[in-house]
Amino acid sequence: RVRRHWTTPNVPIGDAMVKNPYGLRNNIPTDWVSVYEVNKSDGDSFFCAECGGKFIAVQPSDPRKQWFFRHERLSDCEASRETAIHLMAKQILVEERKIMLPYLVMKPEPEVYREYKYHREIKLYQLGERKLYCFDAVQDEVWMDGKVPDIVAVSGNRKLLIEIVVTHDIDEDKLSWIRKQNISTLRVSLSTLPYTATKDDVKRCLMTGWQNNVNIMQWVHHAKKQEHQTRANEHYIQQVMEKGLAPQVKNQKEEAPPSKRVSRDRFLF
């Protein structure tokens, strides 16, 4: 017996989808549109961002069926929703030259935990602050030592790599290359965007760092992490002693070293 599965417009990208709800209005590279925004009576034309072929907006009256764009002529183009969101996000970053950067929470090294134990109430060291950061320049499709990061953002003499993840995560080969280059790299996950998401929704995610109250920004490598590891260790030990949680200073808080302000680098990458 064949079981039929109906898909709804709110299904996230994580589910297998072959339909593409995004096209370019009148073939203008910056004018992305969702098929749910299309009014056929407006007389606009829509095109595939991948191959340039003309699209037809398919908008079934059956509410159980998805709306999507299909090529006007038979084509072997493999443009997908994933490709469209990926291109859209890169274009927004190049145009806006800014993105929400998260802070990095750093744990002390294992030997610190072994000596001072793990304490849930201790606040871990925080490198940087959550901030909408503006760059001097943002480029895509830049070749770097045989690899092509999704985005290379430049501020002064510092570089930040940005990887846009929709369905396929960063592979181990690229992660290894990133660590070898020692360039701070941000992973942006757009996998939970609903099927009906528009370009404005993608932009909001990039500028706020949130989607459905879930953080979508993650440092996969931070060039300053090792530099700050000693500070993270000292920060943890200091708090343990101040709270009298270390065995050797329990009930002897007066012997704890004076509190020091945790230093935060004003540069986030």
Side-chain angles (χ1 to χ4, degrees):
R1 179 179 170 181
V2 177
R3 181 176 295 176
R4 177 172 294 175
H5 296 275
W6 296 104
T7 52
T8 66
N10 292 321
V11 176
I13 296 173
D15 292 356
M17 288 188 176
V18 295
K19 296 177 181 178
N20 181 12
Y22 301 110
L24 298 178
R25 194 195 316 266
N26 299 323
N27 213 15
I28 300 173
T30 57
D31 195 1
W32 285 92
V33 64
S34 164
V35 69
Y36 289 92
E37 299 175 293
V38 170
N39 185 338
K40 293 183 178 180
S41 64
D42 289 343
D44 292 319
S45 298
F46 303 93
F47 296 81
C48 175
E50 187 76 5
C51 70
K54 193 171 183 179
F55 269 157
I56 292 176
V58 179
Q59 300 172 319
S61 57
D62 188 334
R64 297 172 298 178
K65 295 184 178 181
Q66 288 176 339
W67 290 13
F68 62 97
F69 285 112
R70 68 172 173 81
H71 287 82
E72 188 175 59
R73 298 181 179 179
L74 291 178
S75 169
D76 59 359
C77 175
E78 297 181 357
S80 63
R81 180 168 184 251
E82 175 186 5
T83 302
I85 289 181
H86 199 264
L87 291 172
M88 202 185 308
K90 292 200 296 182
Q91 184 183 92
I92 291 169
L93 291 174
V94 170
E95 291 173 352
E96 298 292 327
R97 292 191 291 114
K98 57 187 175 183
I99 192 171
M100 178 62 71
L101 296 185
Y103 54 77
L104 177 65
V105 174
M106 294 183 60
K107 296 179 180 179
E109 293 176 294
E111 52 265 32
V112 175
Y113 275 142
R114 282 196 293 270
E115 183 173 353
Y116 291 89
K117 310 302 181 186
Y118 167 72
H119 300 283
R120 185 188 300 271
E121 62 268 40
I122 297 297
K123 187 175 182 180
L124 298 179
Y125 180 83
Q126 177 181 311
L127 173 55
E129 298 175 351
R130 193 174 185 87
K131 178 182 178 181
L132 184 62
Y133 199 95
C134 299
F135 297 89
D136 298 331
V138 175
Q139 297 175 290
D140 64 348
E141 302 299 322
V142 177
W143 278 89
M144 296 178 62
D145 192 28
K147 298 289 183 182
V148 185
D150 286 340
I151 289 290
V152 177
V154 179
S155 181
N157 61 355
R158 303 189 312 282
K159 290 181 180 179
L160 172 71
L161 307 184
I162 302 173
E163 292 293 323
I164 310 295
V165 172
V166 184
T167 55
H168 302 293
D169 210 343
I170 308 170
D171 61 48
E172 284 301 321
D173 180 59
K174 197 167 195 179
L175 283 174
S176 177
W177 176 82
I178 288 169
R179 296 186 189 109
K180 183 179 178 181
Q181 298 295 314
N182 195 29
I183 302 177
S184 294
T185 302
L186 185 67
R187 174 185 181 273
V188 181
S189 175
L190 297 177
S191 60
T192 58
L193 278 171
Y195 187 78
T196 53
T198 64
K199 181 179 179 180
D200 285 341
D201 293 325
V202 177
K203 180 178 178 179
R204 174 183 48 77
C205 287
L206 297 172
M207 299 301 115
T208 65
W210 299 101
Q211 166 58 23
N212 286 340
N213 296 319
V214 175
N215 177 50
I216 62 171
M217 305 293 184
Q218 176 192 6
W219 291 106
V220 294
H221 181 73
H222 201 296
K224 297 191 176 206
K225 183 174 181 179
Q226 195 57 43
E227 175 187 330
H228 283 258
Q229 188 60 64
T230 300
R231 296 185 189 180
N233 294 344
E234 292 173 349
H235 175 70
Y236 186 84
I237 294 170
Q238 175 190 322
Q239 289 193 86
V240 168
M241 295 183 71
E242 286 179 350
K243 293 177 181 294
L245 298 173
Q248 65 271 31
V249 296
K250 189 161 284 188
N251 301 320
Q252 300 178 31
K253 293 184 182 181
E254 65 279 6
E255 296 182 14
S259 178
K260 295 184 297 183
R261 184 183 177 196
V262 176
S263 174
R264 288 181 183 161
D265 197 317
R266 66 191 181 93
F267 298 128
L268 300 187
F269 56 93

